[in-house]
Amino acid sequence: MNQRRISKSIQIGNITIGGGAPIVVQSMTNTDTRDVMSTINQIRELEEVDCELIRVAAPDMEAAGAIREIKRGISIPLVVDIHFDYRLALAALEAGCDGLRLNPGNISEPDKVGTVARAAKERGVPIRIGVNAGSLPKTADPQLSVAEQMVEATLEQIKLLEDLDFDLIKISLKAFDVPTTIKAYRSIAEKIPYPLHIGITEAGLPRTGVIRSAVGIGTLLYMGIGDTIRVSLTAHPREEVIAGYEILKSLDLRQHGPVLVSCPSCGRTEVDLISLAEEVGRRLETVKKPIKVAVMGCVVNGPGEAKDADIGIACGKGRGVLFRKGEQLRTVKEKDFVQALMTEVERL
Ligand code: SF4
């Protein structure tokens, strides 16, 4: 794995992004921002699964104004997503947002961007320049590849902000196409010092969207690129946060709750291993300890294959063996598999 690119750090509320800080997991609400209670409730649900930064859309003045009240009901920093109308950004700043996201594809006029940057600077609020392949500025050069057009649009907007002596900048260049996204991030990472928010945009339904995001985000992280991640899924945003941590855990970049190791089962398996692993997975959802738990389908290979698990069960016919770090603890009856495993998890 490549060494992490060291970026300039910025502060969004009490969260540090870049400069070698742990990679931040973020998400975006899908409630109507004007519906303050629903939005607060959804953000609180996300806080429960350790979402560290939340973004809300502000499509009109009422939504931008609602930020003040939403902020009072939540504990994590809040970024406001602005398209088309720079005055919404000013209203969101006025209402106390911790960060802004602007899309250069629909707000790029220097005077408007300048007005927002000056107001953000007064309050020490960072701005993410969020370029999307689907909404590139009209001035983009069609001779260039999509990735190059994204990079050009980003550099132009950065120059605009730097000319105003504004450097609380974060960057994203997202596409649905994974190779385009990777190409764009690799290119920009060499050209600028600012922290990068990475993700694959409109990645789809959870089953395919998580894979698409894991391939894109995972590849970039493996290259040392990325300071904060958002998995975008057509699902409850809780799924995005869970997937985000799973990607980081897969690369050993963050620890977060348990890891479940379970074998695919085979002709040696004599229990309903899929149901058992699903049940253990459900029970582990509320466990916060960074432990490795194994559910294996046979006693012959199970304990050895999962010997680095902190606790595991290897299932035989009607009975199974509980093991810790590859060492056998005791034999348990099939009806007690889940309970015995969870008791050991609590003891760890
Ligand atoms: S651990 Fe045992 S049951 Fe599971 S796949 Fe391997 S050999 Fe088959």
mmCIF file of all heavy atoms in Angstrom, residues 262-270 273 295-303 305-306 314-315, ligand 1:
data_model
loop_
_atom_site.group_PDB
_atom_site.id
_atom_site.type_symbol
_atom_site.label_atom_id
_atom_site.label_comp_id
_atom_site.label_asym_id
_atom_site.label_seq_id
_atom_site.Cartn_x
_atom_site.Cartn_y
_atom_site.Cartn_z
ATOM 1 N N SER A 262 -16.432 -15.423 8.152
ATOM 2 C CA SER A 262 -17.254 -16.638 8.057
ATOM 3 C C SER A 262 -16.908 -17.340 6.749
ATOM 4 O O SER A 262 -16.687 -16.685 5.724
ATOM 5 C CB SER A 262 -18.749 -16.312 8.136
ATOM 6 O OG SER A 262 -19.127 -15.412 7.139
ATOM 7 N N CYS A 263 -16.839 -18.647 6.807
ATOM 8 C CA CYS A 263 -16.419 -19.397 5.623
ATOM 9 C C CYS A 263 -17.593 -19.532 4.648
ATOM 10 O O CYS A 263 -18.744 -19.342 5.029
ATOM 11 C CB CYS A 263 -15.852 -20.762 6.035
ATOM 12 S SG CYS A 263 -17.110 -22.011 6.333
ATOM 13 N N PRO A 264 -17.330 -19.851 3.406
ATOM 14 C CA PRO A 264 -18.421 -19.918 2.430
ATOM 15 C C PRO A 264 -19.288 -21.168 2.603
ATOM 16 O O PRO A 264 -20.339 -21.274 1.966
ATOM 17 C CB PRO A 264 -17.687 -19.964 1.089
ATOM 18 C CG PRO A 264 -16.342 -20.511 1.401
ATOM 19 C CD PRO A 264 -16.009 -20.057 2.784
ATOM 20 N N SER A 265 -18.846 -22.092 3.464
ATOM 21 C CA SER A 265 -19.444 -23.423 3.655
ATOM 22 C C SER A 265 -19.180 -24.281 2.413
ATOM 23 O O SER A 265 -18.895 -23.746 1.332
ATOM 24 C CB SER A 265 -20.931 -23.380 4.009
ATOM 25 O OG SER A 265 -21.715 -23.060 2.891
ATOM 26 N N CYS A 266 -19.238 -25.586 2.597
ATOM 27 C CA CYS A 266 -18.968 -26.492 1.474
ATOM 28 C C CYS A 266 -19.576 -27.851 1.787
ATOM 29 O O CYS A 266 -20.360 -27.970 2.729
ATOM 30 C CB CYS A 266 -17.456 -26.598 1.232
ATOM 31 S SG CYS A 266 -16.594 -27.478 2.544
ATOM 32 N N GLY A 267 -19.189 -28.868 1.061
ATOM 33 C CA GLY A 267 -19.753 -30.207 1.251
ATOM 34 C C GLY A 267 -19.466 -30.793 2.630
ATOM 35 O O GLY A 267 -20.073 -31.791 3.022
ATOM 36 N N ARG A 268 -18.546 -30.180 3.381
ATOM 37 C CA ARG A 268 -18.264 -30.690 4.728
ATOM 38 C C ARG A 268 -19.218 -30.125 5.779
ATOM 39 O O ARG A 268 -19.263 -30.605 6.904
ATOM 40 C CB ARG A 268 -16.842 -30.291 5.149
ATOM 41 C CG ARG A 268 -15.762 -31.060 4.471
ATOM 42 C CD ARG A 268 -14.413 -30.774 5.118
ATOM 43 N NE ARG A 268 -13.374 -31.401 4.316
ATOM 44 C CZ ARG A 268 -12.848 -30.832 3.252
ATOM 45 N NH1 ARG A 268 -13.236 -29.648 2.876
ATOM 46 N NH2 ARG A 268 -11.941 -31.471 2.550
ATOM 47 N N THR A 269 -19.937 -29.063 5.416
ATOM 48 C CA THR A 269 -20.762 -28.358 6.406
ATOM 49 C C THR A 269 -22.002 -29.171 6.779
ATOM 50 O O THR A 269 -22.700 -29.667 5.896
ATOM 51 C CB THR A 269 -21.207 -26.993 5.813
ATOM 52 O OG1 THR A 269 -20.140 -26.455 5.062
ATOM 53 C CG2 THR A 269 -21.622 -26.021 6.884
ATOM 54 N N GLU A 270 -22.269 -29.257 8.098
ATOM 55 C CA GLU A 270 -23.428 -30.039 8.550
ATOM 56 C C GLU A 270 -24.427 -29.203 9.338
ATOM 57 O O GLU A 270 -25.242 -29.723 10.079
ATOM 58 C CB GLU A 270 -22.935 -31.236 9.372
ATOM 59 C CG GLU A 270 -22.149 -32.221 8.510
ATOM 60 C CD GLU A 270 -21.595 -33.378 9.304
ATOM 61 O OE1 GLU A 270 -20.671 -33.152 10.092
ATOM 62 O OE2 GLU A 270 -22.105 -34.499 9.155
ATOM 63 N N LEU A 273 -25.190 -22.933 7.992
ATOM 64 C CA LEU A 273 -24.161 -21.937 8.317
ATOM 65 C C LEU A 273 -24.573 -20.516 7.918
ATOM 66 O O LEU A 273 -24.239 -19.554 8.600
ATOM 67 C CB LEU A 273 -22.836 -22.299 7.648
ATOM 68 C CG LEU A 273 -21.676 -21.494 8.236
ATOM 69 C CD1 LEU A 273 -21.185 -22.093 9.528
ATOM 70 C CD2 LEU A 273 -20.534 -21.356 7.254
ATOM 71 N N VAL A 295 -17.156 -17.558 12.263
ATOM 72 C CA VAL A 295 -18.191 -18.595 12.211
ATOM 73 C C VAL A 295 -17.782 -19.530 11.073
ATOM 74 O O VAL A 295 -17.810 -19.142 9.901
ATOM 75 C CB VAL A 295 -19.580 -17.971 11.943
ATOM 76 C CG1 VAL A 295 -20.630 -19.066 11.787
ATOM 77 C CG2 VAL A 295 -19.980 -17.020 13.068
ATOM 78 N N MET A 296 -17.360 -20.722 11.430
ATOM 79 C CA MET A 296 -16.784 -21.636 10.441
ATOM 80 C C MET A 296 -17.615 -22.912 10.339
ATOM 81 O O MET A 296 -18.180 -23.390 11.322
ATOM 82 C CB MET A 296 -15.338 -21.975 10.824
ATOM 83 C CG MET A 296 -14.456 -20.745 11.058
ATOM 84 S SD MET A 296 -14.281 -19.661 9.615
ATOM 85 C CE MET A 296 -13.046 -20.523 8.679
ATOM 86 N N GLY A 297 -17.632 -23.468 9.126
ATOM 87 C CA GLY A 297 -18.554 -24.561 8.844
ATOM 88 C C GLY A 297 -18.081 -25.956 9.183
ATOM 89 O O GLY A 297 -18.844 -26.913 9.053
ATOM 90 N N CYS A 298 -16.822 -26.134 9.603
ATOM 91 C CA CYS A 298 -16.400 -27.485 9.996
ATOM 92 C C CYS A 298 -15.298 -27.425 11.032
ATOM 93 O O CYS A 298 -14.595 -26.420 11.159
ATOM 94 C CB CYS A 298 -15.961 -28.304 8.786
ATOM 95 S SG CYS A 298 -14.363 -27.804 8.137
ATOM 96 N N VAL A 299 -15.164 -28.501 11.759
ATOM 97 C CA VAL A 299 -14.178 -28.552 12.837
ATOM 98 C C VAL A 299 -12.787 -28.888 12.293
ATOM 99 O O VAL A 299 -11.772 -28.576 12.903
ATOM 100 C CB VAL A 299 -14.620 -29.595 13.898
ATOM 101 C CG1 VAL A 299 -13.789 -29.493 15.154
ATOM 102 C CG2 VAL A 299 -16.084 -29.424 14.232
ATOM 103 N N VAL A 300 -12.759 -29.501 11.108
ATOM 104 C CA VAL A 300 -11.477 -29.923 10.539
ATOM 105 C C VAL A 300 -10.619 -28.707 10.149
ATOM 106 O O VAL A 300 -9.470 -28.586 10.563
ATOM 107 C CB VAL A 300 -11.704 -30.787 9.263
ATOM 108 C CG1 VAL A 300 -10.461 -31.579 8.928
ATOM 109 C CG2 VAL A 300 -12.918 -31.668 9.398
ATOM 110 N N ASN A 301 -11.208 -27.813 9.365
ATOM 111 C CA ASN A 301 -10.431 -26.670 8.876
ATOM 112 C C ASN A 301 -10.739 -25.366 9.601
ATOM 113 O O ASN A 301 -9.939 -24.439 9.567
ATOM 114 C CB ASN A 301 -10.708 -26.445 7.382
ATOM 115 C CG ASN A 301 -10.089 -27.519 6.538
ATOM 116 O OD1 ASN A 301 -9.169 -28.196 6.963
ATOM 117 N ND2 ASN A 301 -10.608 -27.697 5.337
ATOM 118 N N GLY A 302 -11.936 -25.274 10.201
ATOM 119 C CA GLY A 302 -12.414 -24.010 10.773
ATOM 120 C C GLY A 302 -11.433 -23.316 11.704
ATOM 121 O O GLY A 302 -10.991 -22.195 11.423
ATOM 122 N N PRO A 303 -11.037 -23.958 12.820
ATOM 123 C CA PRO A 303 -10.188 -23.245 13.787
ATOM 124 C C PRO A 303 -8.855 -22.808 13.181
ATOM 125 O O PRO A 303 -8.362 -21.729 13.476
ATOM 126 C CB PRO A 303 -9.974 -24.288 14.897
ATOM 127 C CG PRO A 303 -11.120 -25.239 14.759
ATOM 128 C CD PRO A 303 -11.422 -25.301 13.299
ATOM 129 N N GLU A 305 -8.211 -22.197 9.876
ATOM 130 C CA GLU A 305 -8.411 -21.139 8.866
ATOM 131 C C GLU A 305 -8.657 -19.783 9.526
ATOM 132 O O GLU A 305 -8.353 -18.748 8.952
ATOM 133 C CB GLU A 305 -9.618 -21.483 7.981
ATOM 134 C CG GLU A 305 -9.424 -22.698 7.109
ATOM 135 C CD GLU A 305 -8.709 -22.384 5.803
ATOM 136 O OE1 GLU A 305 -8.681 -21.212 5.409
ATOM 137 O OE2 GLU A 305 -8.171 -23.326 5.202
ATOM 138 N N ALA A 306 -9.289 -19.814 10.714
ATOM 139 C CA ALA A 306 -9.614 -18.544 11.379
ATOM 140 C C ALA A 306 -8.802 -18.410 12.659
ATOM 141 O O ALA A 306 -9.293 -17.936 13.671
ATOM 142 C CB ALA A 306 -11.116 -18.483 11.650
ATOM 143 N N ALA A 314 -16.509 -23.388 15.384
ATOM 144 C CA ALA A 314 -16.376 -24.298 14.247
ATOM 145 C C ALA A 314 -17.469 -25.348 14.425
ATOM 146 O O ALA A 314 -17.537 -26.017 15.459
ATOM 147 C CB ALA A 314 -15.003 -24.938 14.251
ATOM 148 N N CYS A 315 -18.344 -25.445 13.430
ATOM 149 C CA CYS A 315 -19.559 -26.240 13.615
ATOM 150 C C CYS A 315 -19.426 -27.655 13.049
ATOM 151 O O CYS A 315 -19.000 -27.838 11.907
ATOM 152 C CB CYS A 315 -20.727 -25.550 12.926
ATOM 153 S SG CYS A 315 -20.873 -23.826 13.370
HETATM 154 S S1 SF4 B 1 -14.026 -24.084 6.887
HETATM 155 FE FE1 SF4 B 1 -14.693 -26.188 6.546
HETATM 156 S S2 SF4 B 1 -16.849 -25.981 5.985
HETATM 157 FE FE2 SF4 B 1 -15.970 -23.969 5.755
HETATM 158 S S3 SF4 B 1 -15.399 -23.913 3.607
HETATM 159 FE FE3 SF4 B 1 -13.585 -24.539 4.736
HETATM 160 S S4 SF4 B 1 -13.635 -26.788 4.653
HETATM 161 FE FE4 SF4 B 1 -15.700 -26.063 4.069
#
